Amino acid sequence: MQPLDTSRTAGVTPTPRRRAVLAGGLGALAALGPLAAGCAAPSASASGRTRLRYWHLFGGGDGLTMQSLLRKFSKAHPEIDVEAATLQWGAPYYTKLGMAGAGGRAPELAVLHLARLAGFGPGRLLDPFDLDLLAELGVRQRDFPENIWRRGQAHGRQFAVPLDTHPTVLYYQTEVCEKAGLLAGGKLRPIRGAEEFADALRAAKKVTGRPGLVTETLGVDCIIPWRLFATFYSQTGAKVLSADGRRLALDDAKALKVLEYMASLVEEGLWLRRADYTASIGLFNEGRTAFHLNGEWEIPSFRPTGLKFSMTRVPPLFGRPTAQADCHSFVLPHQADRGGEPNRAAHTLVAWLLKHSVDWAEGGHVPAYAPVLKDPAYLKLEPQSEYRDVIDDVALDEPAWFTGSASRMWIELGAVFSGVLTGSRTPRGALAEAKQRLRALLDTPNPLAGAAS
């Protein structure tokens, strides 16, 4: 969300500061001082309404959509005074949120990437949701995919309620693919297997004279190579870490197969070797290539240009139809005196945003609240509804403090696998380095653990 995703910020290359703050650990945390901890706040505003402080990291198109939703909420709930704060995406956001929770003087509500929950001190930095209160407001566990809902749990309690999932998807140029004979009824023909995907790229290249696929392959905090590896590797059924996130579980043979395949597409000239994030968006937007692999949040980047494109799920190249993803979720940062009307207001906003997430879905994210997936208004969204069933096949990182969006694993392994695509590393060498970095991360204590104790 450089990108519009709040998973990177659309079309903008992330800055080095993301890595610097992330690596800063407790030093960076402490440097935020009282600002991060927040300040004591009364439960009611001067107008007598219940005060609800809400922190999020949504910028770009996501941010505009969230602002619009909050305006609508305020009209529907004039008794609640929402004070929304948009903080810097990535490591700075999480450092500040962690410090606020550690001080017990945090906002009433915040957004957290679901895959980061394990490292965020549920029960210490975060408070659990009141499921009876959510049920009273019309939101129940059965309204969510089981695997996503379950990832929000810790110690038998619910610490995160998912808003959406933002998976890796396949964008395609409809005119190019039509000329290449890859469409049927205006939609991309099903692609089954790695060789069929390579054939599709070859057919597209014959039409354009250029590589059939463009993605981010290099740049500061380059993470798309990791997300693509994670997508293809998940399709083999293998895991990077053990289920509890404490041990390395990488399957060398399957990982090497994926990396060698990725390298082979580049070497054959089917995948553009060198492009940073912004360039990859620009090249696809100019119609210079047939396919683009990325998160689904770039719809707002392509729509205004009149580009004739559509989207679909990432084809099952290695067996299973899974795709790497994370989820935006709501959390309750720890407050020493959580309860009363401010806590009820937080639950009320969560329930309202879930029920009105058709608007949120316009930017590309797949709503996690199942009733919305059946809403006629959502089903009319094109191409968003084309990949909605991926909600049942998302592959989140295993739970560890260093996984999830904007995490050290994404940044470090993104840099390693970038070399496979640019040619600076062999697949076998990249695999060895990735395992070395993962072992180092596993041996490193959670920087937030001290703040949470």
Side-chain angles (χ1 to χ4, degrees):
M1 353 186 154
Q2 324 66 351
L4 296 177
D5 160 27
T6 34
S7 135
R8 291 200 23 148
T9 318
V12 178
T13 303
T15 65
R17 187 180 171 211
R18 283 173 53 189
R19 178 189 290 270
V21 176
L22 212 118
L26 290 177
L29 196 88
L32 290 168
L35 174 63
C39 49
S43 62
S45 65
S47 63
R49 297 184 294 162
T50 299
R51 184 187 190 192
L52 171 57
R53 292 165 298 168
Y54 169 42
W55 287 8
H56 65 81
L57 37 53
F58 299 126
D62 281 354
L64 294 175
T65 300
M66 181 56 68
Q67 290 174 25
S68 175
L69 285 167
L70 292 176
R71 285 194 294 269
K72 293 176 182 179
F73 174 82
S74 294
K75 288 182 180 179
H77 296 273
E79 75 282 5
I80 298 175
D81 181 15
V82 180
E83 297 181 4
T86 306
L87 305 181
Q88 183 180 350
W89 187 90
Y93 175 82
Y94 284 116
T95 302
K96 188 172 293 187
L97 184 62
M99 193 63 185
R105 303 164 68 188
E108 285 70 40
L109 182 67
V111 167
L112 183 88
H113 284 97
L114 190 57
R116 295 195 66 128
L117 180 65
F120 226 78
R124 295 170 297 171
L125 298 181
L126 301 175
D127 295 331
F129 277 90
D130 183 334
L131 296 185
D132 290 336
L133 179 52
L134 281 179
E136 177 187 330
L137 295 166
V139 173
R140 300 170 178 82
Q141 177 177 346
R142 65 172 180 264
D143 297 326
F144 301 85
E146 181 181 356
N147 64 321
I148 292 178
W149 179 264
R150 189 171 58 249
R151 281 297 297 268
Q153 296 174 349
H155 317 304
R157 309 178 81 177
Q158 196 72 33
F159 286 92
V161 173
L163 169 62
D164 63 36
T165 186
H166 41 87
T168 303
V169 296
L170 181 65
Y171 298 77
Y172 61 95
Q173 306 267 4
T174 53
E175 287 187 345
V176 173
C177 289
E178 179 69 38
K179 292 177 181 177
L182 299 175
L183 301 188
K187 305 296 182 182
L188 189 67
R189 295 179 184 275
I191 295 173
R192 301 179 181 89
E195 191 55 36
E196 283 194 17
F197 186 58
D199 286 341
L201 298 182
R202 294 181 185 111
K205 186 176 182 179
K206 289 180 179 179
V207 173
T208 64
R210 300 173 180 271
L213 174 65
V214 63
T215 72
E216 177 189 51
T217 64
L218 52 81
V220 176
D221 289 359
C222 174
I223 63 172
I224 294 298
W226 153 254
R227 297 192 69 174
L228 298 183
F229 168 82
T231 291
F232 300 145
Y233 179 71
S234 73
Q235 293 179 351
T236 71
K239 301 290 185 181
V240 174
L241 302 174
S242 60
D244 60 8
R246 296 180 180 180
R247 293 178 291 102
L248 184 63
L250 203 63
D251 185 309
D252 286 12
K254 292 178 178 179
L256 190 59
K257 181 179 180 180
V258 168
L259 291 171
E260 288 177 340
Y261 175 74
M262 293 169 64
S264 72
L265 295 183
V266 176
E267 290 165 3
E268 192 180 336
L270 302 178
W271 186 341
L272 188 65
R273 185 179 293 278
R274 302 182 65 82
D276 64 13
Y277 191 90
T278 304
S280 71
I281 299 302
L283 290 169
F284 185 77
N285 219 346
E286 294 170 8
R288 297 190 186 187
T289 189
F291 296 102
H292 177 59
L293 284 166
N294 200 346
E296 32 57 46
W297 54 79
E298 287 298 348
I299 290 176
S301 295
F302 300 139
R303 276 257 166 80
T305 66
L307 181 70
K308 295 182 179 179
F309 76 100
S310 190
M311 300 159 69
T312 189
R313 296 178 55 166
V314 176
L317 305 190
F318 294 92
R320 306 193 321 159
T322 51
Q324 188 280 336
D326 206 337
C327 304
H328 297 118
S329 62
F330 297 110
V331 293
L332 305 174
H334 176 59
Q335 292 183 330
D337 58 350
R338 177 171 290 281
E341 287 305 311
N343 188 52
R344 184 179 184 86
H347 285 68
T348 299
L349 178 56
V350 167
W352 190 94
L353 288 172
L354 290 170
K355 293 178 180 180
H356 293 79
S357 54
V358 169
D359 289 348
W360 184 245
E362 289 186 1
H365 305 318
V366 182
Y369 187 63
V372 172
L373 295 176
K374 302 175 184 177
D375 189 322
Y378 175 73
L379 294 175
K380 290 180 181 178
L381 293 179
E382 294 289 345
Q384 291 90 331
S385 61
E386 293 293 324
Y387 51 87
R388 67 187 182 279
D389 57 349
V390 75
I391 192 79
D392 296 318
D393 296 304
V394 295
L396 276 67
D397 298 346
E398 289 79 37
W401 74 263
F402 53 82
T403 65
S405 294
S407 66
R408 283 184 58 177
M409 182 178 74
W410 283 34
I411 292 172
E412 292 197 22
L413 297 196
V416 172
F417 297 143
S418 166
V420 173
L421 299 175
T422 61
S424 64
R425 289 184 179 89
T426 65
R428 193 172 296 276
L431 176 59
E433 185 174 353
K435 291 171 66 176
Q436 180 180 353
R437 295 198 183 200
L438 285 168
R439 290 192 184 99
L441 289 171
L442 286 165
D443 290 340
T444 302
N446 180 358
L448 287 177
S453 60

